[in-house]
Amino acid sequence: MELEIDDKQGWTEITIDSDCDNEKFYESAEILQNHFKIQFNSKLDNFDTYYWDFNYKGSDLTLYYNIYLGLSIHPKALKNASLTDNTNSIEIAKLLFEQLKEE
């Protein structure tokens, strides 16, 4: 398992696991809450896609899961994201990735 950082769409999306089930999403959300004191302020759950928004160091970010694309983090503002939002996305994704490897 390796992080994939994609910025070709105009924002930074960090794929944490491209081949996982929703159990990994919930495990990741729990790690963010318990280890990094993240509070989710908005949750959108569809049949095959979840978008859970949170704030990290002043940046509004999204923990994203799709059954076909896997688990990732990206700025909520997408193309309107600031450099700080993109940088913070990478930082928290790396922290989460490391924590997942330890679990």
Side-chain angles (χ1 to χ4, degrees):
M1 191 165 74
E2 184 175 311
L3 282 180
E4 297 173 29
I5 300 174
D6 179 7
D7 60 2
K8 291 181 240 116
Q9 300 174 71
W11 67 89
T12 303
E13 181 167 10
I14 305 89
T15 300
I16 297 163
D17 192 337
S18 61
D19 185 24
C20 64
D21 58 18
N22 67 348
E23 190 173 307
K24 182 86 157 249
F25 173 84
Y26 289 114
E27 177 185 1
S28 298
E30 186 176 311
I31 288 170
L32 288 171
Q33 289 175 313
N34 294 336
H35 290 276
F36 303 108
K37 307 303 180 215
I38 297 294
Q39 301 257 331
F40 292 100
N41 50 44
S42 176
K43 296 178 180 180
L44 176 61
D45 297 345
N46 291 326
F47 173 72
D48 59 0
T49 305
Y50 306 150
Y51 297 90
W52 287 18
D53 298 333
F54 63 97
N55 188 280
Y56 177 72
K57 292 188 173 181
S59 295
D60 291 322
L61 308 178
T62 300
L63 179 65
Y64 172 76
Y65 170 75
N66 177 278
I67 61 172
Y68 304 108
L69 303 174
L71 176 67
S72 64
I73 291 179
H74 60 77
K76 183 178 178 183
L78 301 174
K79 286 186 179 182
N80 295 319
S82 68
L83 177 59
T84 301
D85 294 339
N86 287 309
T87 301
N88 286 339
S89 295
I90 293 169
E91 181 179 314
I92 193 64
K94 285 180 177 180
L95 292 169
L96 174 59
F97 182 77
E98 290 304 315
Q99 195 66 42
L100 283 166
K101 286 188 347 185
E102 292 178 15
E103 304 261 326

